[in-house]
Amino acid sequence: LGSDILGIVTFVGVIMEIIVLTIYAKWGHKFKTVWIMLSIVATNFIIFFTYSFNVSKYVIMSVALIRAIGMGGLLYIGVEYIKANVKRKNITLAITLYTSLRFLVYSLLVFGSGYFIVDFGYYSFYLMVSLLSLTALFFIDYKPSYDIIKNEEKIWLLEI
């Protein structure tokens, strides 16, 4: 993709993330946490697995827009977990630390990925990342004692 097309795809992707976050902010309490987490894993797998093939730029652009579902879900779940585990007065600090640590890990992965891509190529890299994204399935609590989204308001009421 050229830089102009990539810019447009990125712009539309961010707009779609905002739409997904708006939907979660309004109706997120109607979803079970596990389903949002599964959607994050599924969208990441679909994206990276598709990138591992030599597909047309139109397929890449279409799949890149699916990223909004995964990123919107990741941001929503991250904030919900922070709200459930941090006192209300420390929310801003917690979200700032969460975001900073997430970008630090992301930066380290991007740096290390460059070496992998040089040695093995992009397609091998994306295949490996798609398979690694499936490992997140082992970290999801499928039978939680409570749903973090459903009980978050109850937790905050106890703090007041």
Side-chain angles (χ1 to χ4, degrees):
L1 297 177
S3 60
D4 54 340
I5 299 297
L6 182 62
I8 292 170
V9 170
T10 303
F11 173 75
V12 173
V14 169
I15 296 299
M16 289 186 65
E17 283 178 30
I18 292 169
I19 292 169
V20 169
L21 278 172
T22 303
I23 290 168
Y24 279 139
K26 184 144 179 94
W27 297 291
H29 63 279
K30 294 184 179 188
F31 299 106
K32 287 190 176 278
T33 305
V34 69
W35 290 112
I36 296 174
M37 291 180 153
L38 288 172
S39 74
I40 295 166
V41 174
T43 55
N44 281 323
F45 175 77
I46 290 167
I47 292 164
F48 294 126
F49 191 70
T50 303
Y51 288 171
S52 71
F53 296 103
N54 189 11
V55 294
S56 72
K57 64 182 177 183
Y58 301 108
V59 173
I60 290 174
M61 291 187 307
S62 300
V63 170
L65 298 179
I66 294 173
R67 175 183 178 267
I69 297 168
M71 284 305 297
L74 181 67
L75 294 171
Y76 178 73
I77 290 294
V79 169
E80 290 301 315
Y81 270 95
I82 288 171
K83 284 169 44 178
N85 293 300
V86 175
K87 290 183 180 176
R88 197 172 241 185
K89 67 179 182 175
N90 294 329
I91 290 288
T92 304
L93 176 62
I95 290 175
T96 303
L97 288 172
Y98 166 74
T99 306
S100 298
L101 289 173
R102 194 168 60 89
F103 281 121
L104 175 66
V105 169
Y106 179 76
S107 299
L108 292 172
L109 288 173
V110 168
F111 180 73
S113 299
Y115 290 108
F116 185 91
I117 291 168
V118 167
D119 290 340
F120 301 103
Y122 280 102
Y123 301 119
S124 298
F125 169 73
Y126 283 122
L127 181 61
M128 180 195 67
V129 171
S130 69
L131 296 175
L132 278 174
S133 70
L134 290 178
T135 62
L137 294 171
F138 297 109
F139 298 100
I140 296 175
D141 186 5
Y142 294 99
K143 296 190 187 242
S145 57
Y146 66 95
D147 192 316
I148 197 74
I149 296 171
K150 305 279 186 226
N151 292 311
E152 163 237 325
E153 288 183 17
K154 294 177 190 172
I155 294 169
W156 275 30
L157 289 174
L158 293 174
E159 290 180 4
I160 296 177

